[in-house]
Amino acid sequence: MDSQFATSGIAHVWSQGDWVTRSVALVLLAMSLASWIIILWKALDLRAQRAQARGVEGFWHSSDFAEGLEKLGDADGNPFRTAAIEGREAARHITHQDGASRPQLHDNLDVSDWIERALRKSVDDFTIRAQGGLSVLASVASTAPFVGLFGTVWGIYHALLGISTAGQVAIDQVAGPIGEALIMTALGLLVAIPAVLGYNALVRGNKAVLHKLNRFAHDLHAYFVTGARVSVAAEGKVLPIKQQQQRS
């Protein structure tokens, strides 16, 4: 019953409203479509990245680097595979394993710093890609209620103008147009709430994947610099690279 009332109210607002009311309704519709497209798109990406993160331990239990890359998978946009490849290329480049013979400016850089820069660039690129579209969700979540409120104010204004020209009217004649105008506020909330929930869920998911990627990049850095993955102390804390070298 409520859904039928809402549907009939929306239809009446659309048929009786002017170009401003219809424009507000179209803007809210566009916001809703954009929000759901971004939520579904980013959710699928996040699901794939979580699956890719599960291949990290298999990478470290591989017999060589090539086998480790195979266990990470060859899907496009895999941040873990990208970080491993860029770290390997940085290590080759700085140590002249790529056949370079002429001195270059980076020859004065420390190997550890050079590899760290390459891995940091890979992590930063993923962070920017993961945040793509989230600004749209944030904008929709913050502006959709006000867009709907504007439509409501505009609808009530025209409803009161119509009532004033009609002279004395009954309460049911007043409640109908004003109630239909309030539907625009409800539409604004219906657009904003999924955007807020989707934004928060995607941010939490991205933080979890980014945490795993940073830890993987830290282990890659130790692997390319020292030839071994970062060891774990008895208390469960990862030891810095310099402390490991001093202990050894």
Side-chain angles (χ1 to χ4, degrees):
M1 189 69 178
D2 293 339
S3 61
Q4 292 178 354
F5 175 77
T7 304
S8 62
I10 294 173
H12 188 271
V13 169
W14 178 264
S15 61
Q16 299 298 323
D18 58 0
W19 67 273
V20 175
T21 303
R22 294 179 180 179
S23 298
V24 170
L26 291 175
V27 169
L28 290 175
L29 178 61
M31 285 182 170
S32 180
L33 290 176
S35 298
W36 281 109
I37 289 173
I38 292 174
I39 289 172
L40 294 176
W41 164 44
K42 302 300 291 185
L44 291 175
D45 282 349
L46 189 59
R47 179 181 179 182
Q49 290 158 6
R50 287 174 176 171
Q52 293 160 1
R54 290 194 288 268
V56 169
E57 285 303 317
F59 173 86
W60 292 117
H61 289 86
S62 303
S63 58
D64 54 28
F65 193 83
E67 181 184 345
L69 287 180
E70 292 181 1
K71 291 185 177 181
L72 286 177
D74 56 356
D76 294 336
N78 186 333
F80 300 92
R81 180 183 177 88
T82 301
I85 293 177
E86 292 192 5
R88 180 190 64 185
E89 296 304 317
R92 287 180 176 177
H93 198 57
I94 196 66
T95 56
H96 302 287
Q97 294 180 9
D98 56 355
S101 57
R102 297 181 59 184
Q104 298 181 7
L105 291 177
H106 66 69
D107 293 339
N108 295 324
L109 293 175
D110 182 70
V111 176
S112 176
D113 292 339
W114 179 261
I115 296 175
E116 181 181 358
R117 286 166 60 91
L119 293 174
R120 176 52 53 190
K121 175 182 177 298
S122 178
V123 173
D124 290 342
D125 290 343
F126 167 75
T127 303
I128 293 175
R129 189 170 69 251
Q131 292 177 347
L134 295 183
S135 59
V136 176
L137 290 180
S139 299
V140 170
S142 59
T143 59
F146 297 101
V147 174
L149 183 60
F150 173 76
T152 294
V153 172
W154 188 266
I156 291 177
Y157 169 72
H158 279 274
L160 292 177
L161 284 181
I163 293 171
S164 64
T165 58
Q168 290 186 351
V169 292
I171 188 63
D172 56 343
Q173 294 175 315
V174 176
I178 294 180
E180 291 169 355
L182 290 174
I183 292 177
M184 300 300 293
T185 299
L187 291 178
L189 294 176
L190 288 176
V191 173
I193 291 174
V196 172
L197 296 178
Y199 176 85
N200 291 334
L202 291 173
V203 167
R204 287 196 303 269
N206 288 338
K207 283 184 178 180
V209 174
L210 185 60
H211 172 73
K212 295 178 181 178
L213 181 60
N214 274 311
R215 186 169 57 186
F216 181 59
H218 181 70
D219 290 344
L220 283 174
H221 179 270
Y223 170 77
F224 289 120
V225 173
T226 66
R229 184 185 182 186
V230 176
S231 62
V232 180
E235 60 272 18
K237 297 181 179 180
V238 178
L239 295 176
I241 294 175
K242 291 183 179 180
Q243 292 184 12
Q244 291 182 45
Q245 293 176 344
Q246 291 173 358
R247 288 172 180 259
S248 61

